[in-house]
């Protein structure tokens, strides 16, 4: 699953979001078995991230994004390797090709611009 970005104006009202969270029978804080994977190390890391998001000011629209991405990483999206999202070595010729392509794109000065968009939220 890829990352996505949403303008703050497109986000649901916090009270509406929390009502839906409770209607789906979720609880807070998450139960240990809800973490994916449900291991002590992963829970410790994600609980730290939850505390960091909690410390963000309520007036900061980034707080919603913080909750959304942390809940996704901790409870929804499973890790697909023994060590989480493990990093592996690619063959050197592949790394060289990707590096050349990246540098060429950056040097060209004609990078595409990102534009804001609205995401429809469905129940």
């Amino acid at each position: 699953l890829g990352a996505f970005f949403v303008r703050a104006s497109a986000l649901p009202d916090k009270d509406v979001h929390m009502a839906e969270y409770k209607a789906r029978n979720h609880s807070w804080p998450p139960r240990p078995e809800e973490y994916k994977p449900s291991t002590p190390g992963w829970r410790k890391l994600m609980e730290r991230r939850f505390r960091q998001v909690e410390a963000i000011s309520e007036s900061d629209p980034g707080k919603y994004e913080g909750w959304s991405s942390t809940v996704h990483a901790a409870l929804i999206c499973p890790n697909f390797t023994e060590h989480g999202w493990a990093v592996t070595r690619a063959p050197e010729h592949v790394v060289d090709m990707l590096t050349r392509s990246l540098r060429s794109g950056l040097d060209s000065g004609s990078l595409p611009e990102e534009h804001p968009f609205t995401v429809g939220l469905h129940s």
Side-chain angles (χ1 to χ4, degrees):
L1 297 174
F4 65 92
F5 299 93
V6 180
R7 287 190 321 209
S9 61
L11 300 176
D13 178 87
K14 179 182 174 183
D15 294 331
V16 171
H17 187 283
M18 289 308 297
E20 183 64 25
Y21 185 83
K22 290 177 183 174
R24 292 180 186 207
N25 203 29
H26 294 300
S27 62
W28 196 261
R31 294 181 300 275
E33 65 273 11
E34 292 179 297
Y35 289 86
K36 296 186 187 310
S38 182
T39 61
W42 187 249
R43 284 194 308 273
K44 182 178 178 182
L45 175 66
M46 291 296 108
E47 287 168 354
R48 179 175 181 261
R49 289 188 183 169
F50 282 131
R51 287 191 304 275
Q52 289 171 330
V53 173
E54 182 63 35
I56 298 172
S57 167
E58 289 293 331
S59 63
D60 185 338
K63 186 165 189 163
Y64 179 89
E65 293 174 23
W67 282 123
S68 179
S69 64
T70 306
V71 164
H72 184 266
L75 309 173
I76 298 171
C77 186
N79 290 312
F80 294 105
T81 70
E82 179 182 357
H83 303 288
W85 291 92
V87 176
T88 187
R89 288 199 172 275
E92 192 164 339
H93 73 279
V94 173
V95 173
D96 291 343
M97 178 192 66
L98 292 171
T99 301
R100 281 192 307 274
S101 177
L102 175 63
R103 287 186 178 145
S104 172
L106 292 172
D107 291 343
S108 74
S110 62
L111 299 175
E113 292 186 26
E114 294 184 9
H115 302 283
F117 61 93
T118 302
V119 175
L121 299 173
H122 306 282
S123 37

